[in-house]
Amino acid sequence: MRKKYKGQLVPRFMIFLLGLLVMTFGVVLIIIANIGPSSWDVLHIGLYYRFGLTIGTWSILVGVAIVILSAILLKSFPPIGTFLNMLLVGIFIDMFLLLPFLQTPESYIGKIVMFLCGLIINGYGMGLYISAQLGAGPRDSLMLAITSITNWKVGPVRTTLEIVAVLIGWQLGGPLFWGTIVYSVLIGVTASFTLPQCQKLTDFILSKWHSHKQSQQIIEEYNRGV
């Protein structure tokens, strides 16, 4: 059972930030592999092709629209972590895409290897940021909003949102290849392994942090008594 955390905001934010960095690096590897990005990135890239700006900027703008829709459906604002996720992921996408050494491999085998590495890295990054319990991403927030007001199951809702994003992105000229389908199938399987591992790691880090803080308090109280 996953622990519920209260306080410990500093270490949780550090884990959250690291998770977003790792997750976004995986996303960018998948984009650069050029055999099919995730369904939402089909949309972001399609918007970039059609209207300019940057892929990261469109990730943020789409996130803003989704957060507003989620807030209307739930009649409440998402937690601060959702806004940070929306903003930082877009910034990190553009940051990683500017790295000169990240290039599409020439061989198809190289592209597949980069894609699979991106998938695994993306899964571990997702596990890290979720384990910090500072709020889900905007797209997950929309999924939860729809399920909460309709009582529909999470699976069909998530699948429907993914299909809608792909179709809109494809109509805008976004890259839809077999990798998009593989990602949609394997990301859930990957997350089922990475999420428990990352949660154990986070539990360990936060327990050590708590013990360290307690030890400091005991030492300070002792010194004051002396």
Side-chain angles (χ1 to χ4, degrees):
M1 183 179 294
R2 195 169 74 164
K3 297 180 180 178
K4 294 290 185 180
Y5 295 119
K6 292 183 179 180
Q8 296 181 297
L9 288 177
V10 172
R12 286 168 61 198
F13 180 75
M14 292 171 63
I15 294 169
F16 176 81
L17 185 61
L18 176 62
L20 292 182
L21 270 169
V22 173
M23 180 183 72
T24 307
F25 183 64
V27 167
V28 169
L29 287 181
I30 292 172
I31 291 173
I32 293 176
N34 201 29
I35 54 176
S38 72
S39 55
W40 286 100
D41 287 321
V42 172
L43 174 58
H44 302 150
I45 296 171
L47 288 165
Y48 162 67
Y49 285 164
R50 182 62 63 91
F51 302 108
L53 301 179
T54 66
I55 297 173
T57 300
W58 282 113
S59 175
I60 294 172
L61 293 176
V62 170
V64 169
I66 291 173
V67 166
I68 292 173
L69 179 58
S70 300
I72 293 172
L73 292 175
L74 293 176
K75 298 179 181 179
S76 64
F77 283 101
I80 187 65
T82 298
F83 292 95
L84 288 174
N85 181 304
M86 173 186 69
L87 180 63
L88 293 176
V89 166
I91 293 172
F92 293 158
I93 285 175
D94 286 342
M95 180 184 73
F96 285 128
L97 284 173
L98 288 174
L99 295 178
F101 57 85
L102 287 180
Q103 300 291 331
T104 302
E106 295 183 3
S107 69
Y108 212 76
I109 294 298
K111 293 179 180 180
I112 293 174
V113 170
M114 176 178 275
F115 177 89
L116 293 176
C117 288
L119 179 69
I120 295 171
I121 292 171
N122 180 245
Y124 275 104
M126 187 187 306
L128 280 173
Y129 103 76
I130 290 175
S131 68
Q133 299 180 21
L134 289 177
R139 291 147 190 84
D140 289 331
S141 296
L142 177 59
M143 175 189 68
L144 296 174
I146 293 174
T147 56
S148 67
I149 64 176
T150 61
N151 291 322
W152 294 342
K153 292 183 178 180
V154 170
V157 172
R158 181 59 181 262
T159 301
T160 301
L161 291 174
E162 300 282 328
I163 292 173
V164 169
V166 165
L167 291 177
I168 296 174
W170 182 53
Q171 288 297 315
L172 291 170
L176 176 58
F177 301 118
W178 62 265
T180 303
I181 299 173
V182 172
Y183 177 89
S184 299
V185 172
L186 292 185
I187 189 59
V189 178
T190 304
S192 67
F193 286 98
T194 61
L195 263 62
Q197 294 175 19
C198 291
Q199 190 63 58
K200 288 180 181 179
L201 176 62
T202 297
D203 292 343
F204 175 78
I205 292 172
L206 294 182
S207 66
K208 291 296 183 182
W209 179 278
H210 181 67
S211 298
H212 177 68
K213 296 293 287 185
Q214 282 187 323
S215 298
Q216 284 186 324
Q217 290 176 355
I218 292 172
I219 294 172
E220 289 173 0
E221 290 175 0
Y222 174 78
N223 290 335
R224 284 198 297 266
V226 172

